[in-house]
Amino acid sequence: MIDVKGYEGQRVAVLGLGRSGMATARALKAGDAEPLVWDDSAEARDKAEAEGFTIHDLGKQGAFDDVAALILSPGIPHLYPEPNKYVALAWQAGVPVDNDISLFFRSFATQDWDNFDTIPRVVTVTGSNGKSTTSALIHHVLQHVNRPTQLAGNIGVGVLDIDPAIDGEVVVLELSSYQTDLARNLTPDIAVLTNMSPDHLDRHGGFGGYFAAKRRLFAEGGPDRAIVGIDEPEGAYLANQLATSATDDRVIRISTKQKLAGKGWNVFVRKGFLSEYRKGRQAGYIDLREIEGLPGVHNHQNACAAYAVCRSLGLAPRVIEEAFKSFAGLPHRSQTIANINGVRFVNDSKATNVESAACALEAFKNIRWICGGLEKEGGLAGLAPHFDNVKKAYVIGRDARKFALGLEGVDLEICETMEAAVSQAARDAEKGDTVLLAPAAASFDQYDSFEKRGEDFIAQVNAL
């Protein structure tokens, strides 16, 4: 646990008692603050009270009297689509509103560091897509070279639940826009922006607000090194804003859509080959085409970001390549489950929307595609350019027939259940085919989560 500093002897309100809220309350208490906790859920309040925390109704008159700060859980909106009522009361009382990410950055460093040979580093990863895989890949490479490392944030454990740093450790944090938007303290050593596409627009008041939330990670504290995907205008703008000259190597630009020939520090992928250029000269390369845990252009972008981070930490290209080859991928994200008689079975249950499913369809050839579920707004038109890679679709879900209407021109079979889809796809598959679960839909018509859907796919494949 990271003991929160700066609130010793003070009362600090905590709103939202899920994983991050309870971790925050514990970390505040460990730092000799007095946490006052609240959640609209009576069940959550009862659990907190049973753990010994003071329940404090933030809606009562005078609730913010003598309160030093309000720490907000990431799922609670503070501005858009409208301010949370307790946040508005904190504003009226002049009480600063903050979050656990900010508490982490103000509390992570300790006096013990004075005795370290190598100061710990913090790497943060944000972006619209690929955050989890990029974070996990960086963590995997560091583990491969026996560098002390912890993985936290949106992946792994909460930021305040990690252990205090040891000599030379690297902490890798996956951060969402919900977390970067509110934090008052953001001081990573290395910050990554993978890419930008519209997401969480209601929460941020539009795409501009969404980008502004991501940009804060780079603008508020100023990382020693920024690694920025420049395949979208927002990333290109950010990289330009951060660099003071064309040769400023504090900014590493990454791309999967263009060869980067500038005089700075660039990492890009073309036709499956990752290349690193510094001052116009090649400094390293990796053939990504046969790395099973990183299939497709979207994973090649993740590889660019992770490679740039590891190079910034002083690792050699060949060492990074060796670690990449042993990366198994994250569960439910282009995860190879089995190879049976020359047929590959891939679980990408996390592909819950058209954009992510399109990446999966682009990554493989000769696809036996298991798709369907609770269809999201906008339809399936964005998948049409990738239908040539699909030999046949096997549609699951309660409304499988309705979903299938969006797959015009694709040979398909209505299966409804995962068991039927995997069984039929396996019977039809030929050597060289890939049976791919990439639903392009939410799971809630049949499963509690995309994880449960992926686990069912794995179970059915294992049953083969």
Side-chain angles (χ1 to χ4, degrees):
M1 180 189 298
I2 304 299
D3 299 351
V4 172
K5 299 181 180 67
Y7 290 111
E8 294 82 356
Q10 300 182 70
R11 305 166 80 221
V12 179
V14 178
L15 178 58
L17 299 177
R19 185 187 73 164
S20 66
M22 289 303 297
T24 298
R26 296 182 192 110
L28 283 164
K29 188 175 182 178
D32 295 324
E34 181 187 355
L36 308 174
V37 305
W38 183 254
D39 194 299
D40 285 339
S41 165
E43 181 181 359
R45 296 197 301 268
D46 289 344
K47 289 182 179 179
E49 188 171 28
E51 197 172 322
F53 290 108
T54 301
I55 306 302
H56 187 75
D57 187 346
L58 295 176
K60 286 187 176 180
Q61 184 72 27
F64 287 95
D65 292 350
D66 197 28
V67 168
L70 170 63
I71 308 302
L72 199 63
S73 292
I76 300 173
H78 61 277
L79 185 56
Y80 300 114
E82 61 182 25
N84 176 273
K85 60 182 179 181
Y86 304 118
V87 172
L89 290 172
W91 292 347
Q92 292 172 13
V95 172
V97 181
D98 210 342
N99 67 9
D100 61 333
I101 303 302
S102 182
L103 297 183
F104 167 83
F105 278 109
R106 70 183 287 168
S107 307
F108 183 53
T110 68
Q111 290 183 340
D112 292 341
W113 292 20
D114 294 339
N115 301 316
F116 290 169
D117 293 328
T118 304
I119 296 299
R121 312 284 293 278
V122 177
V123 176
T124 56
V125 181
T126 195
S128 297
N129 298 299
K131 298 186 296 296
S132 296
T133 298
T134 299
S135 301
L137 184 56
I138 296 166
H139 182 61
H140 172 78
V141 175
L142 293 170
Q143 287 181 315
H144 181 82
V145 298
N146 297 316
R147 183 85 177 260
T149 180
Q150 296 185 73
L151 182 63
N154 271 1
I155 187 173
V157 301
V159 293
L160 294 174
D161 274 334
I162 70 170
D163 296 326
I166 62 175
D167 196 341
E169 188 159 40
V170 178
V171 172
V172 184
L173 302 180
E174 179 197 336
L175 300 181
S176 72
S177 58
Y178 289 12
Q179 295 167 309
T180 60
D181 195 20
L182 188 59
R184 291 167 174 254
N185 299 283
L186 285 169
T187 53
D189 298 287
I190 301 172
V192 177
L193 177 72
T194 57
N195 50 58
M196 287 294 300
S197 61
D199 202 3
H200 308 305
L201 301 189
D202 59 335
R203 174 66 181 261
H204 297 292
F207 192 50
Y210 175 54
F211 173 56
K214 299 288 190 185
R215 184 179 179 275
R216 293 188 75 252
L217 184 59
F218 301 83
E220 292 298 311
D224 295 335
R225 178 153 285 123
I227 295 161
V228 183
I230 63 166
D231 287 336
E232 297 84 32
E234 293 77 17
Y237 163 79
L238 178 62
N240 184 268
Q241 286 280 297
L242 295 172
T244 58
S245 70
T247 59
D248 187 351
D249 67 1
R250 295 174 304 166
V251 179
I252 303 178
R253 293 167 173 83
I254 63 173
S255 173
T256 59
K257 295 183 178 179
Q258 54 191 306
K259 179 179 179 180
L260 303 180
K263 297 178 181 179
W265 194 348
N266 302 307
V267 179
F268 60 91
V269 171
R270 295 190 72 191
K271 298 181 180 179
F273 285 88
L274 181 152
S275 297
E276 174 193 3
Y277 275 75
R278 299 184 71 171
K279 298 180 180 179
R281 295 185 177 182
Q282 189 169 30
Y285 72 92
I286 297 176
D287 183 353
L288 299 174
R289 294 174 300 173
E290 301 303 320
I291 297 180
E292 194 170 82
L294 296 169
V297 173
H298 61 303
N299 274 311
H300 292 174
Q301 183 179 60
N302 301 332
C304 283
Y307 178 93
V309 168
C310 294
R311 291 290 281 144
S312 298
L313 293 170
L315 301 185
R318 296 283 75 83
V319 172
I320 300 170
E321 179 180 17
E322 183 182 350
F324 278 8
K325 289 179 178 178
S326 62
F327 181 65
L330 285 179
H332 316 299
R333 297 166 174 86
S334 296
Q335 176 192 16
T336 296
I337 303 304
N339 284 279
I340 303 174
N341 299 325
V343 177
R344 185 176 180 181
F345 291 79
V346 177
N347 167 26
D348 202 345
S349 184
K350 184 63 168 64
T352 59
N353 56 37
V354 167
E355 291 77 13
S356 53
C359 290
L361 293 179
E362 186 180 11
F364 302 98
K365 305 295 183 183
N366 303 320
I367 298 171
R368 303 284 176 176
W369 179 29
I370 300 175
C371 57
L374 193 63
E375 188 175 344
K376 295 186 176 181
E377 292 183 7
L380 304 175
L383 295 172
H386 307 287
F387 286 166
D388 287 346
N389 289 346
V390 177
K391 295 179 76 170
K392 187 175 179 179
Y394 305 82
V395 187
I396 63 173
R398 292 179 184 172
D399 294 323
R401 296 184 184 280
K402 179 181 177 183
F403 188 93
L405 294 176
L407 305 179
E408 186 175 354
V410 177
D411 182 23
L412 60 84
E413 185 169 334
I414 303 298
C415 296
E416 295 186 345
T417 69
M418 187 69 71
E419 180 181 12
V422 171
S423 178
Q424 188 59 50
R427 281 196 294 268
D428 292 346
E430 301 171 326
K431 186 176 181 179
D433 287 356
T434 295
V435 176
L436 171 67
L437 170 65
S443 60
F444 303 120
D445 60 329
Q446 291 181 309
Y447 302 93
D448 291 338
S449 64
F450 74 83
E451 291 95 341
K452 293 296 184 184
R453 177 172 58 193
E455 289 166 7
D456 191 12
F457 175 79
I458 294 170
Q460 301 305 327
V461 172
N462 288 337
L464 297 175

